[in-house]
């Protein structure tokens, strides 16, 4: 039986981050095993039979960590990526409202605009009076922060679509960097003065690989690893926690001192077979995502111009977000095709099932009614994909479950990390995932503390003292 110091399960961003760290240390025996025939996990890219490149949902590249940003430049080269300024908008009341919504209320029709602005001011006054109790769930957070007008016009219907989950049953502890919190003075100033304020948040600018989609980076990273330490097509089917042995589908066994698993936390519990852990983690919730890639006429891309993506709160439309994917990189459209491409996302969960049959037609009809397409005839190509694990839902009990499960696993030298390994959406992006793996591997080797998985708020604060940096 092969014996290693560190075994890593899964070659998505987390597993590759771990491998990158392990590979920096001479004399350490480690192995990375991935069930799929390719690396990248949810961040891989797929070239379909017609030559279109697709991501598993719109992936944009922004970073909280110098080590990650620098690696991007090193592996793709300074000419290997395209820099974008975010140009995003929300389709609301037949208008396009630039993102962030609350700073562009002037784009709304009169009555809705007044409701949104009045609600915002009322919420600010209530908060300033100190008479309001802290919100108990995400629904209350939305109304308390944005006021009832914006809550009804955008925030509630949009989030109900993305999460496919009751907002009353979600926490708001994750919102810090993911939800743009309004400043009523800016909202009033902008509404009266028509100014544009679109710079909020960590993804106000982002980069995208020039070719090969988001997955190009993860393939480039995997290419830096010793081939004998990366086993593709190798699925873990059980973990013997007591004896520290993982068994794979091909019958091989690997003994380890430390195990970094990036499979979803409930899957790891089942691999271990501990009934209490299985029961605990079965209470975690997630949503799935249907991704519909559309090849469209060049005129659609010309009309969208520099628009990067669009949000759709209207419950009548099946999709929550549409990405102008050929704008990210023209190479996402096959050579010789004079056209553009759109990437459409539809969320699904146990409480909100979606019929895959006919979904693409439903999506195309929705794009026409929302004014993204002039007619269904502008669609020249359709690609569909469904991912079971899309968003780890921050339910009210999530932290209690995750903290208990990670502690139980950690005491057996098993570090469950990554978007679904640690189930923390607030540190579930590519850069966070890479760092979770990078830090878990460092902990296995040196015992040092991990910041990203245990201190999301601090991590996302980009405090200069932490050496967490800008994009470059
Ligand atoms: C719709 C959508 C949009 C997104 N947009 C962005 C964005 O704009 N920017 C951004 O930074 N991030 C984005 N993300 C998040 C990004 O995809 C994740 O951060 C990242 O892929 C998580 O990496 P991971 O390694 O933790 O998990 P994964 O990518 O899920 O990788 C886990 C790997 O483990 C493997 N595995 C699982 N079980 C086993 C087993 N038993 N044996 C062997 N291998 C196994 C899987 O095959 C997989 O390759 C988005 C995600 C989604 C779904």
């Amino acid at each position: 039986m092969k014996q290693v110091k560190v075994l890593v399960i899964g070659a998505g961003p987390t597993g590759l981050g771990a491998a990158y760290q392990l590979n920096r240390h001479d004399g350490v025996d480690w192995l990375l095993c991935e069930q799929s025939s390719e690396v990248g996990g949810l961040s891989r890219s797929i070239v379909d039979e017609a030559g279109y490149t697709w991501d598993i949902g719109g992936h944009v590249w922004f970073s909280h960590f110098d080590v990650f940003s620098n690696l991007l430049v090193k592996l793709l080269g300074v000419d290997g990526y395209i820099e974008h300024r975010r140009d995003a908008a929300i389709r609301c009341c037949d208008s396009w409202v630039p993102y962030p919504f609350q700073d562009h209320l002037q784009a709304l029709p009169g009555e809705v605009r007044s409701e949104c602005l009045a609600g915002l001011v009322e919420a600010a006054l209530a908060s300033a009076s100190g008479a309001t109790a802290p919100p108990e769930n995400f629904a209350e957070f939305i109304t308390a922060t944005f006021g009832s007008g914006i809550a009804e016009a955008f925030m509630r219907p949009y989030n109900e679509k993305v999460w496919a989950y009751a907002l009353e049953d979600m926490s708001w502890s994750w919102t810090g960097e993911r939800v743009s919190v309004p400043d009523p003075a800016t909202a009033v100033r902008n509404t009266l003065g028509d100014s544009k304020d679109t710079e909020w948040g960590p993804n106000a600018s982002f980069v995208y690989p020039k070719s090969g989609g988001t997955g190009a980076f993860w393939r480039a990273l995997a290419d830096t690893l010793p081939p004998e330490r990366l086993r593709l097509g190798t699925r873990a089917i059980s973990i013997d926690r007591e004896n520290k042995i993982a068994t794979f589908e091909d019958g091989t066994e690997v003994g380890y001192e430390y195990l970094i698993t990036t499979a979803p936390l409930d899957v790891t519990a089942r691999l271990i077979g501990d009934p209490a852990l299985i029961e605990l983690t079965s209470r975690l919730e997630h949503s799935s995502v249907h991704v519909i890639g559309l090849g469209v006429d060049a005129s659609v891309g010309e009309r969208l111009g520099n628009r990067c993506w669009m949000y759709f709160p209207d419950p009548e439309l099946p999709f929550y977000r549409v990405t102008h994917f050929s704008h990210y990189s023209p190479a996402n459209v096959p050579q010789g095709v004079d056209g553009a491409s759109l990437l459409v996302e539809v969320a699904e969960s146990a409480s909100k099932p979606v019929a895959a049959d006919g979904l693409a037609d439903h999506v195309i009809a929705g794009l026409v009614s929302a004014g993204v397409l002039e007619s269904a005839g502008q669609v020249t190509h359709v690609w569909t994909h469904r991912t079971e694990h899309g968003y780890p839902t921050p339910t009210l009990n999530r932290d209690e479950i995750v903290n208990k499960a990670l502690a139980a696993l950690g005491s057996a030298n098993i570090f469950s990390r990554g978007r679904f390994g640690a189930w923390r959406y607030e540190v579930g992006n590519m850069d966070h995932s890479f760092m979770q793996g990078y830090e878990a591997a460092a902990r296995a080797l040196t015992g040092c503390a991990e910041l990203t998985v245990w201190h999301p708020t601090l991590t996302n604060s980009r405090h200069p003292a932490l050496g967490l940096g800008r994009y470059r």
Side-chain angles (χ1 to χ4, degrees):
M1 182 178 70
K2 186 170 176 62
Q3 179 72 34
V4 294
K5 180 162 178 85
V6 186
L7 173 64
V8 185
I9 294 179
T14 308
L16 288 168
Y20 177 71
Q21 173 73 279
L22 293 164
N23 199 34
R24 296 167 67 227
H25 297 264
D26 290 336
V28 176
D29 208 2
W30 59 273
L31 190 64
L32 170 59
C33 296
E34 163 60 50
Q35 63 186 359
S36 161
S37 58
E38 49 192 317
V39 302
L42 285 170
S43 303
R44 73 190 184 284
S45 299
I46 297 169
V47 179
D48 72 14
E49 73 291 347
Y52 284 85
T53 299
W54 305 110
D55 288 350
I56 317 288
H59 277 68
V60 301
W61 206 284
F62 50 94
S63 170
H64 298 79
F65 312 95
D66 287 346
V67 61
F68 184 68
S69 317
N70 293 339
L71 197 56
L72 175 90
V73 179
K74 184 174 158 198
L75 292 181
L76 295 185
V78 283
D79 296 327
Y81 54 90
I82 301 169
E83 297 191 58
H84 289 286
R85 305 281 327 148
R86 179 189 60 213
D87 173 347
I90 298 107
R91 185 69 173 167
C92 184
C93 307
D94 293 331
S95 302
W96 289 108
V97 182
Y99 177 86
F101 186 87
Q102 65 270 9
D103 292 340
H104 301 94
L105 303 178
Q106 69 274 18
L108 289 165
E111 201 181 318
V112 186
R113 180 174 57 215
S114 307
E115 285 301 312
C116 288
L117 203 53
L120 197 52
V121 171
E122 278 162 16
L125 290 174
S127 159
S129 76
T132 49
E136 290 197 355
N137 55 53
F138 188 36
E140 287 187 12
F141 165 84
I142 289 176
T143 308
T145 311
F146 291 85
S148 52
I150 295 178
E152 293 311 316
F154 172 46
M155 286 297 288
R156 278 195 67 107
Y158 178 71
N159 279 289
E160 277 161 4
K161 282 176 84 173
V162 178
W163 294 104
Y165 200 74
L167 306 185
E168 288 74 13
D169 295 332
M170 287 173 64
S171 89
W172 57 279
S173 58
W174 56 275
T175 53
E177 220 206 14
R178 299 296 188 113
V179 176
S180 165
V181 170
D183 167 23
T186 305
V188 171
R189 220 175 276 129
N190 288 359
T191 306
L192 297 177
D194 201 34
S195 73
K196 284 201 155 72
D197 190 354
T198 55
E199 292 300 297
W200 183 87
N203 63 355
S205 63
F206 63 92
V207 302
Y208 194 84
K210 227 174 213 173
S211 64
T214 293
F217 171 81
W218 301 108
R219 290 192 299 275
L221 178 52
D223 286 346
T224 68
L225 304 175
E228 70 278 10
R229 296 201 183 277
L230 172 59
R231 286 190 189 168
L232 296 176
T234 305
R235 189 164 82 89
I237 54 166
S238 74
I239 297 167
D240 177 345
R241 184 171 45 177
E242 281 68 43
N243 296 305
K244 296 190 167 60
I245 297 170
T247 304
F248 293 87
E249 207 166 28
D250 61 6
T252 55
E253 292 184 333
V254 179
Y256 60 82
E257 192 178 329
Y258 290 91
L259 173 65
I260 298 174
T261 167
T262 72
L265 190 47
D266 54 339
V267 172
T268 293
R270 289 199 294 276
L271 292 180
I272 293 171
D274 172 342
L277 199 58
I278 292 173
E279 193 286 319
L280 178 70
T281 54
S282 69
R283 289 187 250 148
L284 291 166
E285 301 281 348
H286 70 277
S287 65
S288 307
V289 179
H290 292 262
V291 185
I292 297 101
L294 300 176
V296 291
D297 277 356
S299 60
V300 177
E302 282 156 21
R303 211 150 54 86
L304 288 172
N306 291 333
R307 174 73 32 95
C308 299
W309 66 83
M310 295 150 275
Y311 299 111
F312 295 87
D314 183 349
E316 295 300 315
L317 299 170
F319 41 83
Y320 60 89
R321 181 167 64 174
V322 176
T323 298
H324 181 191
F325 200 52
S326 50
H327 174 59
Y328 284 13
S329 168
N332 288 336
V333 171
Q335 260 192 346
V337 171
D338 179 24
S341 63
L342 304 176
L343 199 56
V344 183
E345 290 160 50
V346 178
E348 175 178 17
S349 70
S351 54
K352 189 195 159 225
V354 169
D357 271 2
L359 182 59
D361 289 340
H362 193 191
V363 160
I364 293 167
L367 290 171
V368 174
S369 78
V372 178
L373 297 176
E374 282 164 349
S375 72
Q378 288 182 307
V379 175
T380 53
H381 177 71
V382 178
W383 171 84
T384 58
H385 180 88
R386 179 184 181 277
T387 182
E388 173 60 35
H389 286 91
Y391 288 77
T393 315
T395 51
L396 290 169
N397 57 1
R398 178 205 65 174
D399 285 344
E400 192 193 334
I401 298 170
V402 167
N403 289 342
K404 254 192 211 166
L406 295 194
L409 293 172
S411 64
N413 283 4
I414 298 175
F415 303 150
S416 180
R417 300 289 181 265
R419 184 171 176 94
F420 283 97
W423 222 276
R424 298 199 206 279
Y425 174 67
E426 58 274 40
V427 281
N429 262 354
M430 291 186 288
D431 62 329
H432 299 117
S433 300
F434 172 90
M435 285 307 287
Q436 284 196 38
Y438 184 85
E439 291 172 355
R443 177 171 164 200
L445 297 183
T446 68
C448 67
E450 299 164 90
L451 187 68
T452 307
V453 71
W454 296 114
H455 304 284
T457 307
L458 188 58
T459 301
N460 286 333
S461 73
R462 306 179 187 214
H463 194 287
L466 297 171
L468 307 176
R470 316 119 326 256
Y471 161 58
R472 266 190 297 200

